[in-house]
Amino acid sequence: MTPFAEIFHGDRILEIKMQSNEKNTFDFEAFVLFQQILNKHANNPNLRVLLFTSAQTQFFSNGIEPTLMYGKGEADVRRSVEKLLRTAQTYFHFPVPTIAVINGHCMAAGAVFALFSDYRYMVDKGGRIGFSEAIVGLNFPSIPTIVLQDLVGVKATRDLLFTGKQIKGPEAKEIGLVDELFSAEDLLPEAMKFAESLSKLTYNSSRGMKTALREPYRAQMESLFQMDADLFTKVILSPDGQEGFLSLIEKRRPKFST
């Protein structure tokens, strides 16, 4: 089964549905395919809205597949890190409005893709969202940090990153991390209703507003890309980084050496 399903609703709304595994984790091939799908549809003149959804009921996405980073050499880790960062950038700059439909737990890299959406609709119960890197001994790239600070403020960003806490929908809405909350039954229909309203935008409005919102970040993203890639690679390869990923594989608490 392909990790993503591409579903058109009419000719103006595209739904990309994650269906990689039970937790919708990203391995290298998933990053490659997701970026390819985004590039394939970016120049579609009819497209006005992208819905990013999950086929799973408990997870929107649990982020990176731990086996992608555990026990690998520097070249492989760097290759995976750079593909993660580039795929996230491609999604961030996708030329029409994007809506993340968060129907379950949304963690780490999965939460970055939600953060990089223009809108976030989340289930009101049964799901948490968070940037859990600190819990498994990792750092967090500077670019999503900047975007998160712009969205929820410096104080909330500080607390989310240093604690790695995973918050429920009501708290996420309170701090501005998500836009709307709905029951599991109403979440996708309400997101679709909003997508239909956005689909009435003209070509120039849809793409022009997105450019105005995203283009100011482009130069900064490029200037910080190598630093983010170097540091994230270094931390993943450290003993604590490897222990963090092993703890995820073994489903236990990490035991750090430092």
Side-chain angles (χ1 to χ4, degrees):
M1 181 174 66
T2 178
F4 302 93
E6 302 163 64
I7 307 165
F8 268 97
H9 302 272
D11 62 353
R12 291 193 167 202
I13 301 173
L14 170 63
E15 178 183 357
I16 299 179
K17 180 177 290 187
M18 293 184 292
Q19 50 186 25
S20 58
N21 51 53
E22 65 178 9
K23 293 185 177 180
N24 273 334
T25 53
F26 284 84
D27 59 15
F28 188 83
E29 290 71 24
F31 285 129
V32 170
L33 181 57
F34 189 40
Q35 189 174 36
Q36 289 175 345
I37 291 171
L38 293 169
N39 287 331
K40 177 175 71 174
H41 294 290
N43 295 320
N44 180 345
N46 295 319
L47 190 64
R48 299 292 186 274
V49 189
L50 171 64
L51 281 168
F52 193 18
T53 68
S54 167
Q56 311 305 336
T57 56
Q58 289 189 311
F59 285 88
F60 174 74
S61 172
N62 207 39
I64 299 171
E65 174 57 41
T67 56
L68 180 63
M69 299 299 187
Y70 178 72
K72 302 297 192 297
E74 181 177 356
D76 286 338
V77 170
R78 180 174 295 276
R79 176 171 171 258
S80 296
V81 165
E82 291 186 351
K83 178 54 68 175
L84 160 63
L85 296 177
R86 288 299 185 196
T87 303
Q89 285 184 2
T90 300
Y91 182 72
F92 183 82
H93 289 291
F94 193 73
V96 300
T98 54
I99 306 169
V101 184
I102 306 167
N103 63 326
H105 300 308
C106 180
M107 303 298 169
V112 171
F113 282 105
L115 171 67
F116 278 10
S117 303
D118 293 290
Y119 296 92
R120 286 155 295 280
Y121 278 25
M122 187 173 178
V123 67
D124 59 355
K125 298 176 182 177
R128 292 175 180 265
I129 184 169
F131 306 92
S132 53
E133 282 78 2
I135 295 175
V136 290
L138 301 178
N139 67 313
F140 195 69
S142 59
I143 289 302
T145 300
I146 292 167
V147 176
L148 184 59
Q149 286 182 164
D150 288 348
L151 183 66
V152 304
V154 174
K155 182 177 181 295
T157 297
R158 176 200 67 193
D159 293 344
L160 286 168
L161 296 187
F162 276 126
T163 66
K165 64 181 179 181
Q166 299 144 37
I167 59 177
K168 297 179 181 179
E171 184 178 354
K173 185 177 181 183
E174 182 180 353
I175 67 172
L177 184 55
V178 301
D179 296 284
E180 299 292 347
L181 300 174
F182 295 101
S183 67
E185 295 76 18
D186 292 337
L187 180 62
L188 184 58
E190 290 293 337
M192 184 62 65
K193 185 187 302 182
F194 183 57
E196 288 169 352
S197 70
L198 290 177
S199 74
K200 296 180 173 62
L201 290 168
T202 65
Y203 175 92
N204 289 327
S205 293
S206 174
R207 291 171 181 263
M209 300 305 180
K210 184 63 178 276
T211 298
L213 288 165
R214 298 305 204 200
E215 197 61 29
Y217 290 92
R218 191 180 296 275
Q220 195 172 29
M221 283 186 164
E222 286 303 318
S223 70
L224 293 170
F225 178 86
Q226 202 57 58
M227 183 199 75
D228 276 347
D230 290 347
L231 184 55
F232 203 31
T233 299
K234 179 181 178 180
V235 172
I236 288 170
L237 290 169
S238 72
D240 285 337
Q242 289 294 288
E243 166 61 17
F245 280 109
L246 180 60
S247 72
L248 293 173
I249 294 169
E250 296 181 347
K251 299 179 180 178
R252 59 171 174 80
R253 291 183 180 277
K255 301 175 183 178
F256 298 125
S257 60
T258 59

